[in-house]
Structure formats: structure tokens, C-alpha cells
Amino acid sequence: MRPDDLQSLTLPGSVSVQGDLVLVNVATPDLTANAYRGGLYRVPLDGSGAQRWTWAERDLAPRVSPDGRWVAFLRCADKGGKPQLHVMPATGGDARRLTDLPLGAGAPVWSPDSAKLAFVTRVPEAGRYGVPIADGEQPWGPESEAPRHIARLDYRYDDIGFVGDRNPRLFTVDALDPEAKPVELTDGTFTVAEPAWTADGSALLFVADRDLGAVETLHQDVYRVPAAGGEPELYVRSKGMVAHPVAAGDGIVFYGSEFTGVHSVARNNSLWRYSGGQLTRVTELEGVDCERAAGAPVVTDAGVLVAVRNRGAVELRRVPLDGVEVPLDGLELLAGEQAEVKSFAADGDVVVAVVSRADNTGEVVRVGGGELTSFGATVPLRPVVELTGSASDGYPVHGWLVLPDGEGPHPVLLVVHGGPFMYHGWGFFDEAQVYAAAGYAVVLPNPRGSAGYGQAHGQAVVGGFGTVDVDDVLSVLDVALERPDLDADRVGVMGGSYGGFMTSWLAAHHGERFRAAWSERAVNAWDSFSGSSDIGWFFTEAYCGSSLETQRAMSPLTYAEKVSIPFMVVHSEHDWRCPLEQAQRQFVALRRNGVEAEMLLFPGEGHELTRSGQPRHRKQRFDHVLAWWARHLS
């Protein structure tokens, strides 16, 4: 895969099924337009191939109504347009727009009677974000807005911006009445997320911060509000964070983690059941980590479907609804073995999922029936080789290797993932594919601190950045370098976010092993990160503790004078997760120490540049990466 091949990728996303109607949204980066384009595809269950179903600039989040007669989805009508809620007949035809909201609408959720839709949207204050102070007035530009009066620590969020002046609100709208207007159920004084209807359709459930966000907190609970309007009330008090509540029997199920205070990091998400006033953990804490990004749990007669992170895979598993602390081997595996489930849905005994592999961007799969699409065949991709071994203390290490064509010996790129409670895995990873196509062997380690290996594995680096995680990363590299087709004398190190931290750390403490370093959107100094990052107010203490001395000891910037290899600092100007000052401080320290250091800054981008940034910037970044390694590993 070359950088130009970004525009040839076909990336299936959210899937929905009702009866024999299966819909999935598909996106493709467009380098010329510098936008993401794509529509909805219908996927016949007989395997005859996907068929384009809508043709707008971009359609996403399809949801088929429970009675199978209607499809709700989000549509971006033009480049840069906000997603608005639309509905159309399931038999096809013209789509009717239901919303015209300044900041767009969130994904729709059908009521049980297929008559109404619930959704969440951010509603801006008058005078901000293009909304005029009064009807008929011209909107103010950002530079003319009134000052923000901030009295909370959680006042902004990466890739969103300031949040207190546009808190998400819960709405419903009659999907079948052309004259209906959205009805607001919450007033914006607190944040609302992930709505779901109760089984009888009389009320809506949603996730909100504890006590409706009266003070800053990481704890979340499930609240209930009448569908006809009224005051929200607490429905379930959780043990920590909450995601995706769904009606189940006479209660609900949801994903949730358990912690106290600010110690929310590296916690597995369990499936929980609330019924009869009792809260029960359905899946075992240590070994089952539900992947909330793959979507809400799906309740069927045969059990609850969930996606589970497991040693680099994201697997679709079936959980007994009446289970208690069920371990991983007690959950039926339906899809995603040595692969990554991106989304899933079910209707009766028909279960479908979008499944990605290292050499395939994703296909719609019917459980028990095989692949139904051929989206991933547009660009040649390389498979992965699994790596296993032991660290110096005997701890098992795990990772992957993506090999280029040819016999080698190949130059090597050690690529460390972010998080740190994330993972490299069996799914499609565009960066590894681009580097391998350019002739590099790409090593992808999952050190202690990563997700998918048990909660204790993830917690192993709390209070210990730069210790066992470093040992694991280098041990996986050593396993790879045992191969005769890899060149141990031509190795580069790179990574983003926590991976950028690890790159900076390795360059300082083990620089003799690498020819050069590429550190991206990195955490370099915990002391300033605490006050400048959107999550700094809790994340630093949760991982490093409250001692400034300890934080500095775990900061790569503290050891910048030990770096001697060529070093590229890469950052986005609007990154609020690892703010720009993290890059600036590292760059200045390296340059003042005489290091061959350079800095690459991307305007208009946040922390997610490499995954969802502007297509043109993503391609330009790849060009710079390949030019850097051509200089230092050729």
C-alpha cells in the first residue's frame, strides 16, 4: 500500500440488519476533495455482493426500524457539512431530512414501535459556533465571541473543543410525521450520551456524569427520562464508567468499568445486568474486556452479543443473559478469531458483523455463513506474522511483524501504539501496510500496559512507565531480529501518543539500538501535561501519582540530554490530548543539546490525525515518514 492508495481504500463501518435487509455505511478518503465520501450499501444475505443504496456526499450510521419498514441514518449533504438525521423507506426511494441543527445530529435510535427516533446533539449557546445572538442577526466569528467563563476542570475535549457552552442534549423526533420538529428532553446543563429506549417505549435511558455532572467526576451512571418529557432520574448507580445501556427483559445491560477516585485508567469493561433492583457483573473482570467502540451489546433470545478484546483480536462473543462473572472461555466465539470486529448487529438468528484483518480493510460477515462482501480487495495488503517470546523477567511478550516483499535483510521499524491501554492486533493498520510496501519490516509490540491481555497486564505500568513496558517492547524487537531476513543494524523507532512517549524514552535510554526516531503527538513532560491536556487533570495522577518528583522521573524530557540520534518531533496544532507544548519543549531541548532534531506541525488537526484527519494531511504525513526513514535507514 502506497500513500496514494489511501484514496483507494474502502472502509465499511456501522452495520444494521432487520429481516433480510442488511445495510452498512462505507467511507473512502478523497485526496482531491480532501474529504471522506461514501454512502450506504445493501448487503444481500445470499452472498450475491453489496449494492450501493444511497449516493450523497456521505451517509453513515444506518439503523433499520424494528418493523423493517424504515431506515434512519445520518447524511452529510456536502463537504464539511454537519451530519443531519434522515429517514427513508426500507424499500428505497427519496430520503427525508428530519433535522437542521447547527452542529449536526448524533446516531439515531428507533423506538420499539418504529415511530420515533432518539438522538443526541450538541446545542451551542447563542453567539457561539456560528449561532447568532438573536434571529436576523449575523453570526459572530470565533475571534469576536464573548470570553468563556470557566469554573471546571473538564472544560474541553480533543477533536471537539470547548464543551461547556455546547453540552450534548437528548432529543426525540417523530420519524413518520413530515411536519414534526425535534423535541428536547434535556436542557444542556449536563452532558448526555448513548440514549436507549426502555422496552415499552415509555422512557429513554442515557449515560451522564454522576449527579448529572454537578462537579467534575469520572464516574457515570444511567439515568431515565420520560419520553413525553419530564425530569431525569437516576436509574442505575454504577461502579465506575458506563457505556451503551440497552433494554433487556425487565431491566438493562450495559458495559462498565469499576474504580474509585481518578483511578479509571487501564480498567476492563465488563458486561453488567441491572434487574429487579440488583446490579450484577455478567462477565469476569480480569479476563473479559468488552470493546465499547464496536457498538452496544445486542440482546437476542440466545444471549447477549458483545465484542471482546483478546490478545490483539476483537472477537464477537455470546454471553448468557443470566450469567454471573462468566470467564472468557465460557463465552461462545462467533466471529473475529485472529481478526477485529468493527461493528455488529442481529435480528433473530441472523447475526452480521464487519470484520477486518491485517490484509483486508473489512468485510460484512454473516455468522455461520461467511463473507458477504468484497470491500477489502481494492488495494494489495500484507499479512502479519505473530511474534511470541519472553521478557528478561520471564514475562511472556506478544506482537506482530509485517514483512515487505523480497528476501531481505530488510530495515526495521519498531512501531509502538498509543494508549497505553490500547493494542496492536490482527486488524487492518494502514501505517504498517504503507511502511511494509516501502520496504520496511514493521514490528508491532503489545507490552505490559496494553489492552486485551487481562486487567493486571494493563495495570502493570501504573506508577511504572519506562520499566517493564520498555523491557517488553525491546524483547518483542529481539524476537523479530532473530530472523535472518531482518537487518539488526538498520532499526528505527516510532510511535504516537504513548507510543511517542516510548519513542522519546527509548531514544534517551537505548539510543544505541536505533538509527533515528520519529516521535508523534507524544507525552514528554507530565508536569505540564497535567494542566494543558484535556485529560491531564486526572490522567497524570492515575498513571504516575501526584508526586512532581515521580512525574519528572517518568518524563522523557528529563532525559533529553541523553538523546544523540536524529529525532523528528511531529505534532498537530490543535491537539488538546497531548498539547503542542509537549512537542515544543522536547524539540527545543534536543536542538539546544545539538541533536539533529526537526519538527513537523500539522495545522487544523487534533490528536486523531493519523486515523481520521484530513485525507490530504494523512497522505502528506506518510510522504514525510517515508522520506525520513529513507534518509536514515537506507
Side-chain angles (χ1 to χ4, degrees), residues 258 265-269 284-289 393 395-396 420-421 446-464 467-469 472 543:
E258 184 174 3
V265 298
R267 303 286 179 176
N268 280 354
N269 278 310
E284 186 258 330
L285 170 62
E286 172 60 27
V288 181
D289 183 16
D393 61 358
Y395 192 86
F421 198 55
N446 276 354
R448 272 170 276 192
S450 303
Y453 296 81
Q455 185 165 285
H457 182 96
Q459 290 277 311
V461 297
V462 171
T467 58
V468 294
D469 49 351
D472 290 359
Y543 264 118

mmCIF file of all heavy atoms in Angstrom, residues 258 265-269 284-289 393 395-396 420-421 446-464 467-469 472 543:
data_model
loop_
_atom_site.group_PDB
_atom_site.id
_atom_site.type_symbol
_atom_site.label_atom_id
_atom_site.label_comp_id
_atom_site.label_asym_id
_atom_site.label_seq_id
_atom_site.Cartn_x
_atom_site.Cartn_y
_atom_site.Cartn_z
ATOM 1 N N GLU A 258 -14.910 -0.500 36.773
ATOM 2 C CA GLU A 258 -15.027 -0.285 38.215
ATOM 3 C C GLU A 258 -13.744 0.342 38.749
ATOM 4 O O GLU A 258 -12.647 -0.146 38.478
ATOM 5 C CB GLU A 258 -15.289 -1.615 38.926
ATOM 6 C CG GLU A 258 -15.530 -1.481 40.426
ATOM 7 C CD GLU A 258 -15.924 -2.792 41.080
ATOM 8 O OE1 GLU A 258 -15.948 -3.826 40.386
ATOM 9 O OE2 GLU A 258 -16.197 -2.769 42.296
ATOM 10 N N VAL A 265 -7.913 4.453 34.792
ATOM 11 C CA VAL A 265 -7.122 4.012 33.649
ATOM 12 C C VAL A 265 -6.898 2.502 33.684
ATOM 13 O O VAL A 265 -6.872 1.877 34.748
ATOM 14 C CB VAL A 265 -5.776 4.745 33.597
ATOM 15 C CG1 VAL A 265 -5.996 6.242 33.435
ATOM 16 C CG2 VAL A 265 -4.932 4.460 34.837
ATOM 17 N N ALA A 266 -6.752 1.921 32.491
ATOM 18 C CA ALA A 266 -6.408 0.503 32.334
ATOM 19 C C ALA A 266 -7.390 -0.405 33.066
ATOM 20 O O ALA A 266 -6.998 -1.357 33.737
ATOM 21 C CB ALA A 266 -4.974 0.245 32.795
ATOM 22 N N ARG A 267 -8.681 -0.112 32.910
ATOM 23 C CA ARG A 267 -9.729 -0.920 33.542
ATOM 24 C C ARG A 267 -10.522 -1.649 32.467
ATOM 25 O O ARG A 267 -10.967 -1.042 31.485
ATOM 26 C CB ARG A 267 -10.683 -0.032 34.345
ATOM 27 C CG ARG A 267 -10.002 0.809 35.415
ATOM 28 C CD ARG A 267 -9.573 -0.023 36.599
ATOM 29 N NE ARG A 267 -8.891 0.802 37.604
ATOM 30 C CZ ARG A 267 -8.478 0.345 38.783
ATOM 31 N NH1 ARG A 267 -8.693 -0.911 39.104
ATOM 32 N NH2 ARG A 267 -7.846 1.144 39.627
ATOM 33 N N ASN A 268 -10.704 -2.941 32.646
ATOM 34 C CA ASN A 268 -11.528 -3.704 31.713
ATOM 35 C C ASN A 268 -12.986 -3.277 31.803
ATOM 36 O O ASN A 268 -13.496 -2.955 32.886
ATOM 37 C CB ASN A 268 -11.436 -5.201 32.014
ATOM 38 C CG ASN A 268 -10.178 -5.835 31.456
ATOM 39 O OD1 ASN A 268 -9.409 -5.180 30.740
ATOM 40 N ND2 ASN A 268 -9.954 -7.096 31.761
ATOM 41 N N ASN A 269 -13.656 -3.286 30.665
ATOM 42 C CA ASN A 269 -15.103 -3.068 30.617
ATOM 43 C C ASN A 269 -15.813 -4.408 30.707
ATOM 44 O O ASN A 269 -15.645 -5.264 29.832
ATOM 45 C CB ASN A 269 -15.500 -2.369 29.319
ATOM 46 C CG ASN A 269 -15.309 -0.874 29.384
ATOM 47 O OD1 ASN A 269 -15.766 -0.228 30.322
ATOM 48 N ND2 ASN A 269 -14.616 -0.318 28.410
ATOM 49 N N GLU A 284 -16.565 -11.940 33.629
ATOM 50 C CA GLU A 284 -15.498 -11.938 34.627
ATOM 51 C C GLU A 284 -14.585 -10.730 34.434
ATOM 52 O O GLU A 284 -14.262 -10.342 33.310
ATOM 53 C CB GLU A 284 -14.710 -13.251 34.488
ATOM 54 C CG GLU A 284 -13.656 -13.461 35.547
ATOM 55 C CD GLU A 284 -12.276 -13.151 35.003
ATOM 56 O OE1 GLU A 284 -12.042 -13.324 33.798
ATOM 57 O OE2 GLU A 284 -11.430 -12.714 35.810
ATOM 58 N N LEU A 285 -14.156 -10.114 35.525
ATOM 59 C CA LEU A 285 -13.436 -8.856 35.485
ATOM 60 C C LEU A 285 -12.073 -8.972 34.828
ATOM 61 O O LEU A 285 -11.739 -8.225 33.915
ATOM 62 C CB LEU A 285 -13.279 -8.300 36.909
ATOM 63 C CG LEU A 285 -12.341 -7.094 37.065
ATOM 64 C CD1 LEU A 285 -12.845 -5.904 36.283
ATOM 65 C CD2 LEU A 285 -12.168 -6.745 38.545
ATOM 66 N N GLU A 286 -11.256 -9.878 35.274
ATOM 67 C CA GLU A 286 -9.860 -9.904 34.859
ATOM 68 C C GLU A 286 -9.677 -10.253 33.386
ATOM 69 O O GLU A 286 -8.890 -9.622 32.680
ATOM 70 C CB GLU A 286 -9.077 -10.906 35.729
ATOM 71 C CG GLU A 286 -7.647 -11.181 35.271
ATOM 72 C CD GLU A 286 -6.764 -9.953 35.235
ATOM 73 O OE1 GLU A 286 -7.019 -8.998 35.993
ATOM 74 O OE2 GLU A 286 -5.801 -9.935 34.434
ATOM 75 N N GLY A 287 -10.422 -11.222 32.883
ATOM 76 C CA GLY A 287 -10.124 -11.763 31.560
ATOM 77 C C GLY A 287 -11.036 -11.340 30.433
ATOM 78 O O GLY A 287 -10.785 -11.703 29.280
ATOM 79 N N VAL A 288 -12.104 -10.591 30.707
ATOM 80 C CA VAL A 288 -13.049 -10.195 29.658
ATOM 81 C C VAL A 288 -13.097 -8.674 29.606
ATOM 82 O O VAL A 288 -13.484 -8.018 30.570
ATOM 83 C CB VAL A 288 -14.462 -10.759 29.910
ATOM 84 C CG1 VAL A 288 -15.394 -10.343 28.780
ATOM 85 C CG2 VAL A 288 -14.418 -12.269 30.041
ATOM 86 N N ASP A 289 -12.703 -8.114 28.465
ATOM 87 C CA ASP A 289 -12.693 -6.666 28.261
ATOM 88 C C ASP A 289 -13.548 -6.348 27.049
ATOM 89 O O ASP A 289 -13.138 -6.573 25.903
ATOM 90 C CB ASP A 289 -11.255 -6.178 28.058
ATOM 91 C CG ASP A 289 -11.165 -4.660 27.922
ATOM 92 O OD1 ASP A 289 -12.146 -3.979 28.287
ATOM 93 O OD2 ASP A 289 -10.128 -4.164 27.458
ATOM 94 N N ASP A 393 12.482 -10.724 32.571
ATOM 95 C CA ASP A 393 11.993 -11.274 33.833
ATOM 96 C C ASP A 393 11.146 -12.522 33.636
ATOM 97 O O ASP A 393 10.519 -13.005 34.577
ATOM 98 C CB ASP A 393 11.203 -10.210 34.610
ATOM 99 C CG ASP A 393 9.980 -9.720 33.853
ATOM 100 O OD1 ASP A 393 9.736 -10.168 32.712
ATOM 101 O OD2 ASP A 393 9.240 -8.872 34.406
ATOM 102 N N TYR A 395 8.460 -12.772 31.752
ATOM 103 C CA TYR A 395 7.062 -12.464 31.399
ATOM 104 C C TYR A 395 6.859 -12.697 29.900
ATOM 105 O O TYR A 395 7.698 -12.303 29.083
ATOM 106 C CB TYR A 395 6.756 -11.013 31.759
ATOM 107 C CG TYR A 395 5.280 -10.661 31.714
ATOM 108 C CD1 TYR A 395 4.475 -10.879 32.825
ATOM 109 C CD2 TYR A 395 4.714 -10.120 30.573
ATOM 110 C CE1 TYR A 395 3.136 -10.556 32.803
ATOM 111 C CE2 TYR A 395 3.363 -9.790 30.539
ATOM 112 C CZ TYR A 395 2.577 -10.010 31.648
ATOM 113 O OH TYR A 395 1.241 -9.686 31.624
ATOM 114 N N PRO A 396 5.756 -13.345 29.501
ATOM 115 C CA PRO A 396 5.524 -13.584 28.069
ATOM 116 C C PRO A 396 5.253 -12.285 27.322
ATOM 117 O O PRO A 396 4.556 -11.407 27.817
ATOM 118 C CB PRO A 396 4.296 -14.498 28.062
ATOM 119 C CG PRO A 396 3.609 -14.239 29.363
ATOM 120 C CD PRO A 396 4.693 -13.907 30.344
ATOM 121 N N PRO A 420 -1.647 4.126 27.040
ATOM 122 C CA PRO A 420 -1.090 2.839 26.628
ATOM 123 C C PRO A 420 -2.092 1.688 26.619
ATOM 124 O O PRO A 420 -1.790 0.607 26.126
ATOM 125 C CB PRO A 420 -0.014 2.566 27.678
ATOM 126 C CG PRO A 420 -0.529 3.253 28.908
ATOM 127 C CD PRO A 420 -1.220 4.503 28.417
ATOM 128 N N PHE A 421 -3.304 1.906 27.168
ATOM 129 C CA PHE A 421 -4.275 0.808 27.251
ATOM 130 C C PHE A 421 -5.005 0.666 25.916
ATOM 131 O O PHE A 421 -6.209 0.835 25.808
ATOM 132 C CB PHE A 421 -5.264 1.063 28.399
ATOM 133 C CG PHE A 421 -6.012 -0.165 28.856
ATOM 134 C CD1 PHE A 421 -5.345 -1.304 29.253
ATOM 135 C CD2 PHE A 421 -7.399 -0.170 28.890
ATOM 136 C CE1 PHE A 421 -6.041 -2.431 29.677
ATOM 137 C CE2 PHE A 421 -8.102 -1.288 29.318
ATOM 138 C CZ PHE A 421 -7.425 -2.419 29.710
ATOM 139 N N ASN A 446 2.947 -5.432 21.800
ATOM 140 C CA ASN A 446 1.919 -5.133 22.799
ATOM 141 C C ASN A 446 2.521 -5.338 24.187
ATOM 142 O O ASN A 446 2.367 -6.396 24.801
ATOM 143 C CB ASN A 446 0.693 -6.034 22.620
ATOM 144 C CG ASN A 446 -0.277 -5.505 21.588
ATOM 145 O OD1 ASN A 446 -0.114 -4.413 21.066
ATOM 146 N ND2 ASN A 446 -1.287 -6.285 21.266
ATOM 147 N N PRO A 447 3.224 -4.356 24.711
ATOM 148 C CA PRO A 447 3.898 -4.512 26.004
ATOM 149 C C PRO A 447 2.915 -4.493 27.168
ATOM 150 O O PRO A 447 1.722 -4.215 27.000
ATOM 151 C CB PRO A 447 4.812 -3.292 26.049
ATOM 152 C CG PRO A 447 4.063 -2.247 25.265
ATOM 153 C CD PRO A 447 3.414 -3.007 24.136
ATOM 154 N N ARG A 448 3.409 -4.757 28.339
ATOM 155 C CA ARG A 448 2.602 -4.569 29.545
ATOM 156 C C ARG A 448 2.092 -3.128 29.575
ATOM 157 O O ARG A 448 2.822 -2.187 29.296
ATOM 158 C CB ARG A 448 3.433 -4.889 30.783
ATOM 159 C CG ARG A 448 3.381 -6.354 31.158
ATOM 160 C CD ARG A 448 4.389 -6.716 32.227
ATOM 161 N NE ARG A 448 5.711 -6.989 31.651
ATOM 162 C CZ ARG A 448 6.727 -7.542 32.315
ATOM 163 N NH1 ARG A 448 6.579 -7.875 33.597
ATOM 164 N NH2 ARG A 448 7.893 -7.772 31.714
ATOM 165 N N GLY A 449 0.809 -2.997 29.900
ATOM 166 C CA GLY A 449 0.114 -1.726 29.772
ATOM 167 C C GLY A 449 -0.913 -1.758 28.669
ATOM 168 O O GLY A 449 -1.837 -0.946 28.651
ATOM 169 N N SER A 450 -0.775 -2.726 27.723
ATOM 170 C CA SER A 450 -1.710 -2.835 26.603
ATOM 171 C C SER A 450 -3.023 -3.466 27.052
ATOM 172 O O SER A 450 -3.107 -4.119 28.091
ATOM 173 C CB SER A 450 -1.094 -3.691 25.484
ATOM 174 O OG SER A 450 0.131 -3.162 25.043
ATOM 175 N N ALA A 451 -4.049 -3.298 26.210
ATOM 176 C CA ALA A 451 -5.366 -3.888 26.467
ATOM 177 C C ALA A 451 -5.477 -5.249 25.790
ATOM 178 O O ALA A 451 -4.815 -5.522 24.798
ATOM 179 C CB ALA A 451 -6.455 -2.957 25.949
ATOM 180 N N GLY A 452 -6.349 -6.090 26.346
ATOM 181 C CA GLY A 452 -6.666 -7.360 25.726
ATOM 182 C C GLY A 452 -5.921 -8.549 26.297
ATOM 183 O O GLY A 452 -6.038 -9.661 25.768
ATOM 184 N N TYR A 453 -5.169 -8.345 27.372
ATOM 185 C CA TYR A 453 -4.389 -9.423 27.971
ATOM 186 C C TYR A 453 -4.730 -9.608 29.452
ATOM 187 O O TYR A 453 -3.955 -10.200 30.200
ATOM 188 C CB TYR A 453 -2.898 -9.126 27.825
ATOM 189 C CG TYR A 453 -2.425 -9.083 26.392
ATOM 190 C CD1 TYR A 453 -2.614 -7.934 25.626
ATOM 191 C CD2 TYR A 453 -1.816 -10.182 25.795
ATOM 192 C CE1 TYR A 453 -2.197 -7.883 24.311
ATOM 193 C CE2 TYR A 453 -1.400 -10.141 24.472
ATOM 194 C CZ TYR A 453 -1.595 -8.986 23.731
ATOM 195 O OH TYR A 453 -1.183 -8.937 22.421
ATOM 196 N N GLY A 454 -5.852 -9.068 29.858
ATOM 197 C CA GLY A 454 -6.227 -9.098 31.260
ATOM 198 C C GLY A 454 -5.968 -7.756 31.919
ATOM 199 O O GLY A 454 -5.053 -7.019 31.522
ATOM 200 N N GLN A 455 -6.768 -7.436 32.916
ATOM 201 C CA GLN A 455 -6.645 -6.136 33.547
ATOM 202 C C GLN A 455 -5.304 -5.972 34.260
ATOM 203 O O GLN A 455 -4.727 -4.875 34.272
ATOM 204 C CB GLN A 455 -7.792 -5.916 34.533
ATOM 205 C CG GLN A 455 -7.793 -4.527 35.156
ATOM 206 C CD GLN A 455 -9.101 -4.183 35.835
ATOM 207 O OE1 GLN A 455 -10.083 -3.890 35.179
ATOM 208 N NE2 GLN A 455 -9.101 -4.231 37.169
ATOM 209 N N ALA A 456 -4.765 -7.046 34.832
ATOM 210 C CA ALA A 456 -3.485 -6.949 35.520
ATOM 211 C C ALA A 456 -2.371 -6.563 34.550
ATOM 212 O O ALA A 456 -1.448 -5.817 34.906
ATOM 213 C CB ALA A 456 -3.154 -8.267 36.215
ATOM 214 N N HIS A 457 -2.451 -7.055 33.328
ATOM 215 C CA HIS A 457 -1.471 -6.693 32.294
ATOM 216 C C HIS A 457 -1.545 -5.193 32.013
ATOM 217 O O HIS A 457 -0.508 -4.517 31.916
ATOM 218 C CB HIS A 457 -1.776 -7.494 31.019
ATOM 219 C CG HIS A 457 -0.817 -7.265 29.890
ATOM 220 N ND1 HIS A 457 0.256 -8.089 29.657
ATOM 221 C CD2 HIS A 457 -0.784 -6.321 28.913
ATOM 222 C CE1 HIS A 457 0.919 -7.666 28.594
ATOM 223 N NE2 HIS A 457 0.306 -6.599 28.120
ATOM 224 N N GLY A 458 -2.759 -4.669 31.905
ATOM 225 C CA GLY A 458 -2.921 -3.244 31.661
ATOM 226 C C GLY A 458 -2.466 -2.395 32.828
ATOM 227 O O GLY A 458 -1.894 -1.314 32.643
ATOM 228 N N GLN A 459 -2.675 -2.870 34.047
ATOM 229 C CA GLN A 459 -2.318 -2.118 35.243
ATOM 230 C C GLN A 459 -0.827 -2.183 35.575
ATOM 231 O O GLN A 459 -0.355 -1.451 36.445
ATOM 232 C CB GLN A 459 -3.104 -2.662 36.435
ATOM 233 C CG GLN A 459 -4.599 -2.365 36.396
ATOM 234 C CD GLN A 459 -4.913 -0.985 36.921
ATOM 235 O OE1 GLN A 459 -4.450 -0.586 37.979
ATOM 236 N NE2 GLN A 459 -5.688 -0.227 36.156
ATOM 237 N N ALA A 460 -0.086 -3.035 34.859
ATOM 238 C CA ALA A 460 1.308 -3.285 35.221
ATOM 239 C C ALA A 460 2.190 -2.054 35.107
ATOM 240 O O ALA A 460 3.250 -2.000 35.736
ATOM 241 C CB ALA A 460 1.876 -4.412 34.351
ATOM 242 N N VAL A 461 1.785 -1.047 34.308
ATOM 243 C CA VAL A 461 2.629 0.144 34.150
ATOM 244 C C VAL A 461 2.129 1.315 34.975
ATOM 245 O O VAL A 461 2.711 2.407 34.917
ATOM 246 C CB VAL A 461 2.735 0.565 32.669
ATOM 247 C CG1 VAL A 461 3.408 -0.520 31.865
ATOM 248 C CG2 VAL A 461 1.370 0.919 32.084
ATOM 249 N N VAL A 462 1.062 1.144 35.743
ATOM 250 C CA VAL A 462 0.612 2.220 36.622
ATOM 251 C C VAL A 462 1.700 2.469 37.666
ATOM 252 O O VAL A 462 2.097 1.580 38.410
ATOM 253 C CB VAL A 462 -0.719 1.846 37.299
ATOM 254 C CG1 VAL A 462 -1.079 2.870 38.369
ATOM 255 C CG2 VAL A 462 -1.824 1.736 36.265
ATOM 256 N N GLY A 463 2.212 3.693 37.651
ATOM 257 C CA GLY A 463 3.333 4.028 38.523
ATOM 258 C C GLY A 463 4.665 3.508 38.029
ATOM 259 O O GLY A 463 5.667 3.606 38.752
ATOM 260 N N GLY A 464 4.695 2.975 36.788
ATOM 261 C CA GLY A 464 5.934 2.356 36.326
ATOM 262 C C GLY A 464 6.226 2.559 34.854
ATOM 263 O O GLY A 464 6.815 1.680 34.214
ATOM 264 N N THR A 467 9.538 1.109 32.567
ATOM 265 C CA THR A 467 10.145 -0.043 33.256
ATOM 266 C C THR A 467 9.824 -1.319 32.478
ATOM 267 O O THR A 467 10.464 -1.597 31.472
ATOM 268 C CB THR A 467 9.637 -0.123 34.709
ATOM 269 O OG1 THR A 467 8.199 -0.227 34.719
ATOM 270 C CG2 THR A 467 10.040 1.125 35.493
ATOM 271 N N VAL A 468 8.817 -2.066 32.931
ATOM 272 C CA VAL A 468 8.517 -3.339 32.281
ATOM 273 C C VAL A 468 7.997 -3.152 30.862
ATOM 274 O O VAL A 468 8.146 -4.040 30.015
ATOM 275 C CB VAL A 468 7.507 -4.159 33.116
ATOM 276 C CG1 VAL A 468 8.122 -4.580 34.440
ATOM 277 C CG2 VAL A 468 6.214 -3.383 33.342
ATOM 278 N N ASP A 469 7.378 -2.008 30.586
ATOM 279 C CA ASP A 469 6.910 -1.771 29.224
ATOM 280 C C ASP A 469 8.086 -1.662 28.262
ATOM 281 O O ASP A 469 8.039 -2.180 27.132
ATOM 282 C CB ASP A 469 6.018 -0.527 29.157
ATOM 283 C CG ASP A 469 6.598 0.700 29.847
ATOM 284 O OD1 ASP A 469 7.632 0.568 30.529
ATOM 285 O OD2 ASP A 469 6.006 1.788 29.713
ATOM 286 N N ASP A 472 9.454 -5.149 27.627
ATOM 287 C CA ASP A 472 8.610 -5.916 26.715
ATOM 288 C C ASP A 472 8.781 -5.461 25.267
ATOM 289 O O ASP A 472 8.862 -6.281 24.344
ATOM 290 C CB ASP A 472 7.142 -5.783 27.120
ATOM 291 C CG ASP A 472 6.819 -6.510 28.415
ATOM 292 O OD1 ASP A 472 7.725 -7.136 28.991
ATOM 293 O OD2 ASP A 472 5.652 -6.442 28.852
ATOM 294 N N TYR A 543 -1.858 7.501 36.436
ATOM 295 C CA TYR A 543 -0.766 6.666 35.937
ATOM 296 C C TYR A 543 0.555 6.895 36.669
ATOM 297 O O TYR A 543 1.321 5.956 36.865
ATOM 298 C CB TYR A 543 -0.545 6.911 34.438
ATOM 299 C CG TYR A 543 -1.248 5.902 33.547
ATOM 300 C CD1 TYR A 543 -2.226 6.306 32.647
ATOM 301 C CD2 TYR A 543 -0.936 4.547 33.594
ATOM 302 C CE1 TYR A 543 -2.862 5.388 31.819
ATOM 303 C CE2 TYR A 543 -1.571 3.622 32.786
ATOM 304 C CZ TYR A 543 -2.537 4.045 31.897
ATOM 305 O OH TYR A 543 -3.171 3.124 31.092
#
